[in-house]
Amino acid sequence: MNAALEPALRGRTHVLLDFDGPVCSVFAGLSAAEVADRMRQRLRDAGQSITPEWEEENDPLALLSRISRALPGLAEQADAVLTELETDAARLARANPDIKPVLDACVGTGRTVLVVSNNSGQAIDLYLRREGLTGQVERVVGRVPGEPASMKPSPRLLLDAMGETVAARCVFIGDAVRDVEAGHAAGVPTIGYANKPGKAAKLTAAGAVAVVESLLPLADALTSIDSHL
Ligand SMILES: [Mg+2]
């Protein structure tokens, strides 16, 4: 077993789980670039002019951040548009088959799973229902509607998910540097999921306490490492 997983999982009763990456590829069917395009078109149709900087942005979540920084009054509408498009994307998202053993291991060892994501909670809820996973997830914490500043690397969503649970009982699993940064800011260790070449080094450099290239060893470790102190 990856020795770094032992301290990251022992005594951790609450598993905070990023959505896009560990659970599924949200934009595998409806691509991120297509969602960004449709988002611009919907705003244009509503009479909003689109700046050249917004035209260049192919990541819809980054586009939402750009829009809200430039025009805070447009944040709520842009977020609502994106939420609808993400919900369409969630219908076509590609499942990560290795997440089920992770969820089974968490439930089997009495751990609580909370999904913490920059995606819209509505889209995540739809996906979890689609895959029959709602019974294994205690709560979904998506970005705060109309407040893209709540997104990771801000610790806000993680802190919201943790509630009264002390950080020493929590671990976060994410596939992006911003996840590691958000975990650090929330005082929670992050296990990096390096699902693409080159990610492992970036996640390690960002401060991930352990890095796995597959979720299956993580599922095994969750099963064999006690969640109780
Ligand atoms: Mg992710």
Side-chain angles (χ1 to χ4, degrees), residues 53-125:
E53 291 77 22
W54 301 355
E55 290 288 0
E56 286 166 13
E57 183 57 72
N58 281 328
D59 172 347
L61 295 167
L63 177 58
L64 176 63
S65 292
R66 280 184 184 224
I67 290 172
S68 81
R69 276 197 303 269
L71 287 179
L74 190 58
E76 202 170 327
Q77 185 187 359
D79 198 329
V81 166
L82 178 54
T83 293
E84 279 191 38
L85 294 168
E86 283 174 291
T87 306
D88 292 341
R91 291 191 179 91
L92 302 171
R94 185 178 63 233
N96 181 346
D98 296 344
I99 195 59
K100 288 191 179 180
V102 170
L103 295 175
D104 288 344
C106 288
V107 172
T109 53
R111 289 180 166 96
T112 299
V113 177
L114 304 108
V115 171
V116 184
S117 169
N118 287 352
N119 290 117
S120 127
Q122 184 181 309
I124 298 166
D125 284 335

Side-chain angles (χ1 to χ4, degrees), residues 182-206:
H184 186 69
V188 175
T190 302
I191 297 173
Y193 172 39
N195 54 356
K196 289 187 184 131
K199 268 197 186 181
K202 287 180 190 161
L203 293 167
T204 301

Side-chain angles (χ1 to χ4, degrees), residues 18-22 152 174-176 178-179 199:
D18 175 40
F19 180 64
D20 191 7
K152 299 170 282 184
D175 70 326
R178 63 175 170 273
D179 292 320
K199 268 197 186 181

